[in-house]
Amino acid sequence: METVRVTVVGGGASGCFAAVLLARGGAEVTLLEKNEKTGKKLFITGKGRCNLTADLPPREFLEGVVRGEKFLRSAVWSFPPESTKKFFEDMGVPLVTERGNRVFPASGKSSDITRALDRALKESGVRVLLHSEVKSAKKEGEEFVVTLSDGGEIRSDFLVIATGGKSYPSTGSTGDGYAFAESFGHSVVKPVPSLVQLLTKEDVSPLNGISLKNIELAAVLPDGRTLSEFGEMLFTKRGLSGPVALSLSARLNRVSGGALTLDLKPALSREKLDARVLRDFAERKNADLKNVTRALLPERLNLYVLKRAGLSPDEKVNSVTREERGRLVDAVKGLTFSFAGVGPFEEAVVTSGGVDTSELTPKCGSRLVPGLYFTGEVIDCDAYTGGYNLQIAFSTAAQAAGDIIARGSKDGRRD
């Protein structure tokens, strides 16, 4: 019987993973990657440490999915984080689980993961074609025909599109898969940046680089709804970043307008904070205001908050009125910014949007074109930071590979 032939477009996390599992299942696999090497984006994930997955059981893992949770249930239950860990440990990569259930290679080097995938590709017999940019893809009869930019053609029984999204375009993620999907008649939900900084209309450049812990950041949407996150945050030249801001961006990237409110002392009620300020004022009545409030906040942020509260940093504490003290407390408990949108794709960790999941089976196969599959970031699925999105790449790759092997065997196209 004839061996099933599969073309995988995209040598990122999902494409490489799908190719390995397909080849291990007996398929003849050709992996096309337009870059000079595979895993280029994977190499820079987790600040170069590669946050591989979130070490959680499927039900808890799915709570971290922002878009596509229902679609991903089958994939995540079939190939959960535990399976991802086992795959890489079996490939000789020791792993560690850190705070927030984040899983990393024990070495702290993403190169361990990319090398393991490259080794798996080689050992399983995948034909890897680098510098191979796909110009077009179509189906002729029962065959898929992929045309390369150099004029070459690859023919196969099945086609897997694993081209990623539009985040970090310098790594080759330029949205090619969306055009391929549309050429096959698929709908594409408009891609927008996710896990990216929140931009403010106010100038926050004086605060650039200030890192805060144990704060609460809330977003008040135009419709009145409030979303909030507690944890760490970082000011940038143009807005707010760090874990809480990135998490909120996943839910604000399709929102226009609204406000961001920063509670710098969420552990204290307004009344308790006011009592503390009053006590500090009583102890240093003749000091400059900025020197007393510096006990509350980092120096640059202290001066910024005083200015936003309409207070003079050089005003003597003994002349601060009750109303002025109230404005100070309000600013500390609710420093508000006008939301101007999210940062660009160049800064985004992942893409939100992509191939409409209503047009895909739970096995990631096209409902429109038999034999066509989509995996990873090209699909309209995304999640919070912390290894979730890479796990989605692996789980959807496993779904597609398993279905192709099963269908190829059923069709009698395997030795």
Side-chain angles (χ1 to χ4, degrees), residues 44-59:
I44 64 172
T45 60
K47 298 179 180 177
R49 296 182 62 218
C50 193
N51 183 187
L52 198 59
T53 185
D55 193 7
L56 293 167
R59 186 174 282 105

Side-chain angles (χ1 to χ4, degrees), residues 20 60 67 73 82 175 179 182-183 200 277-278 293 311 349 386:
V20 169
E60 291 179 39
R67 293 175 66 90
R73 287 176 192 170
E82 193 62 37
E182 289 173 336
S183 73
T200 61
V277 171
L278 193 59
T293 54
L311 302 173
V349 175

Side-chain angles (χ1 to χ4, degrees), residues 66-100:
V66 179
R67 293 175 66 90
E69 183 270 342
K70 186 176 180 181
F71 171 78
L72 289 170
R73 287 176 192 170
S74 175
V76 173
W77 278 96
S78 298
F79 196 91
E82 193 62 37
S83 297
T84 297
K85 289 170 60 181
K86 185 178 186 307
F87 175 92
F88 285 100
E89 286 170 341
D90 287 349
M91 286 302 299
V93 181
L95 304 175
V96 293
T97 301
E98 299 184 2
R99 183 168 58 94

Side-chain angles (χ1 to χ4, degrees), residues 16-53:
C16 288
F17 207 67
V20 169
L21 297 182
L22 283 161
R24 286 181 176 180
E28 179 186 298
V29 186
T30 300
L31 176 66
L32 304 174
E33 170 53 51
K34 67 180 179 181
N35 285 317
E36 73 285 358
K37 62 181 178 180
T38 59
K40 198 166 183 178
K41 185 176 176 182
L42 186 60
F43 184 74
I44 64 172
T45 60
K47 298 179 180 177
R49 296 182 62 218
C50 193
N51 183 187
L52 198 59
T53 185

Side-chain angles (χ1 to χ4, degrees), residues 380-408:
D380 182 25
C381 294
D382 64 277
Y384 293 126
T385 183
Y388 292 92
N389 291 286
L390 267 181
Q391 180 60 46
I392 289 172
F394 298 134
S395 291
T396 53
Q399 280 289 85
D403 198 48
I404 290 171
I405 295 302
R407 288 186 57 193

Side-chain angles (χ1 to χ4, degrees), residues 47 197-198 204 207-213 215 217 231-237 239-246 262:
K47 298 179 180 177
Q197 70 169 312
L198 304 175
V204 293
L207 305 176
N208 181 41
I210 294 177
S211 179
L212 302 171
K213 292 183 178 180
I215 56 86
L217 180 62
E232 300 177 14
M233 199 204 81
L234 173 71
F235 281 103
T236 70
K237 291 181 180 179
L240 317 178
S241 189
V244 296
L246 297 187
L262 182 59

